[in-house]
Amino acid sequence: MIPIQTSLTQLLGIQTPIIAAAMAGASGGALASQVALAGGFGFVSAGYDSADFFKKEISIARNALHTAEDQTLRVGVGFLVWLLEKSPSKAEELISIALENRVQAVWLSFGEDIGRWVRYIREHDPRAGSKDAVKIFIQLSTVQELKVAITEWKADVIVVQGNEAGGHGLKSSLPLLTLFPLLANVASQLNGPPLLAAGGLATGSQVASLLTLGASGVVLGTRFLLSPESLYTDPHRKSLLAADSSLSVRTMAFDYARNTLGWPKGVDGRGLRNDTVDDYERGVDVNTVRERFAESARKGENNRSVVWAGSGVGLMSEILPAKDIITELHTECLQHLQSGAQLIAESQSNRL
Ligand SMILES: Cc1cc2nc3c(=O)[nH]c(=O)nc-3n(C[C@H](O)[C@H](O)[C@H](O)COP(=O)(O)O)c2cc1C
């Protein structure tokens, strides 16, 4: 692989600026490690699961990457901050598992007081102050959050999440093509860290366009759900493959149905429209939505379950191993960057 070098690849020592997102319920040790083996970087989500489940996923990554206990584990860990805030003792346990395992990065998002956890992680990182200190990624969608993340929390990497993103996000977030340049301008005035772009990405040409806009890397979530390594089930993958982009909608229906309420104000989730969303939008009583959701899960049906998906889902037509997804995106991105460079060379030679 011809590497693509950016400030992000230098910071993490990786070959391609393509990151597999932290995805609660979907990104575990197998996905994150395969992405790392392909030259990218991936996150194990601590999500909604137990500490034992999280430990198991970390050890899957450790084994796949043949990492000794005293070496940096070349994956990150994603935390939903509102869940940390809900149960600080569990939060401390999960964070200590991540830090003891010397993970290379931590990803924080969706909380009222993210700064508290940034400080907590830095204070408890045994590598703090060294070049191997854990790198803190913050995902956000507004100028206001960006300023705080740069000036107060001194984030190591910022992920700019556009409205197209699968899973949870700010309901009022702007589309990525507008949001990214807006935030990039502010970040450059503040001398900010590497900025990554997330939301709706599916192809190498999109990756090339974001790098051209000044992104130091890109984050994809939904695309990696369509890999055998994600924790999604085969029926969920089938629904994603069958979906066109108009089925990707922002909604609170699933959080009501499965009772995962507690997200910060203004946050909802983007997933595939199905009977749960239709009932919710029709104003069906929440208890009934919940009962129907639980009943259909018991029966193993697929017409009410949660399948998070970004608006790029209609551009995805294949289940591929995570490594192949990285290679395909990287190769296609390089081709697009090279044709851009060729266009410039030709324009210059025509002028001579
Ligand atoms: C199944 C799924 C779960 C997600 N879980 C999280 C999460 O736990 N924390 C988070 O910050 N973002 C989460 N996200 C959002 C991703 O971090 C990322 O912004 C998004 O996947 C990018 O858009 P895309 O899915 O269109 O590629 C999730 C996304 C998906 C698809």
Side-chain angles (χ1 to χ4, degrees):
M1 177 190 271
I2 302 171
I4 299 175
Q5 286 191 1
T6 68
S7 55
L8 175 80
T9 62
Q10 278 159 9
L11 181 75
L12 298 177
I14 55 178
Q15 303 297 305
T16 183
I18 301 172
I19 307 294
M23 295 187 283
S27 64
L31 178 57
S33 56
Q34 289 307 305
V35 166
L37 287 169
F41 193 78
F43 285 81
V44 176
S45 171
Y48 310 98
D49 299 301
S50 67
D52 283 344
F53 183 86
F54 178 50
K55 266 189 208 160
K56 192 187 89 202
E57 292 300 324
I58 296 267
S59 72
I60 290 172
R62 179 172 290 290
N63 291 336
L65 294 170
H66 305 292
T67 308
E69 273 180 17
D70 58 347
Q71 286 177 327
T72 299
L73 184 56
R74 291 185 297 123
V75 297
V77 165
F79 293 108
L80 288 168
V81 172
W82 70 271
L83 283 178
L84 301 182
E85 285 163 348
K86 203 169 150 192
S87 173
S89 60
K90 182 176 175 197
E92 289 172 14
E93 184 184 5
L94 294 174
I95 291 170
S96 94
I97 296 169
L99 294 176
E100 276 164 20
N101 274 283
R102 306 175 72 88
V103 297
Q104 200 175 352
V106 163
W107 166 306
L108 301 174
S109 52
F110 305 127
E112 299 296 347
D113 188 6
I114 293 180
R116 166 182 168 197
W117 298 98
V118 170
R119 288 188 295 279
Y120 182 89
I121 290 166
R122 293 217 170 105
E123 277 161 18
H124 289 80
D125 180 13
R127 299 158 290 171
S130 80
K131 69 171 184 20
D132 294 330
V134 69
K135 307 296 179 286
I136 298 191
F137 285 52
I138 305 282
Q139 178 162 254
L140 47 75
S141 297
T142 64
V143 167
Q144 208 181 358
E145 292 168 293
L146 176 75
K147 285 182 176 167
V148 177
I150 295 175
T151 57
E152 291 179 26
W153 308 337
K154 319 270 182 237
D156 296 295
V157 177
I158 283 163
V159 181
V160 176
Q161 189 191 40
N163 194 287
E164 302 89 332
H168 286 86
L170 191 67
K171 185 179 179 177
S172 61
S173 173
L174 291 166
L176 191 58
L177 209 58
T178 308
L179 183 66
F180 190 85
L182 269 175
L183 267 56
N185 277 344
V186 176
S188 92
Q189 282 159 19
L190 296 173
N191 216 0
L195 229 55
L196 315 187
L201 306 180
T203 68
S205 53
Q206 290 174 310
V207 175
S209 68
L210 266 310
L211 294 183
T212 311
L213 275 182
S216 298
V218 291
V219 174
L220 289 89
T222 307
R223 181 66 191 97
F224 288 103
L225 298 177
L226 285 165
S227 70
E229 293 89 351
S230 79
L231 300 174
Y232 260 30
T233 62
D234 285 339
H236 287 168
R237 290 192 191 93
K238 236 171 119 184
S239 304
L240 288 166
L241 277 184
D244 67 37
S245 287
S246 67
L247 281 181
S248 160
V249 292
R250 301 209 75 96
T251 181
M252 278 306 284
F254 297 119
D255 287 298
Y256 277 107
R258 62 180 194 176
N259 203 4
T260 45
L261 299 165
W263 296 89
K265 202 164 159 262
V267 171
D268 64 4
R270 185 183 272 286
L272 295 185
R273 172 180 292 286
N274 61 13
D275 292 348
T276 300
V277 179
D278 288 342
D279 276 357
Y280 177 77
E281 288 181 359
R282 269 201 300 267
V284 173
D285 162 73
V286 170
N287 288 328
T288 309
V289 171
R290 260 179 209 163
E291 278 160 25
R292 289 179 182 169
F293 179 80
E295 173 70 8
S296 113
R298 265 195 301 279
K299 289 188 185 154
E301 295 167 352
N302 207 29
N303 59 327
R304 290 186 179 272
S305 55
V306 187
V307 183
W308 299 120
S311 60
V313 66
L315 291 164
M316 300 169 195
S317 56
E318 232 184 336
I319 296 173
L320 282 178
K323 271 183 168 181
D324 294 355
I325 294 176
I326 292 279
T327 308
E328 191 178 279
L329 289 168
H330 181 91
T331 309
E332 203 197 333
C333 170
L334 266 181
Q335 281 163 0
H336 278 268
L337 293 175
Q338 277 159 356
S339 49
Q342 205 177 335
L343 193 73
I344 293 172
E346 279 167 16
S347 317
Q348 280 174 342
S349 70
N350 286 344
R351 251 198 280 145
L352 292 177

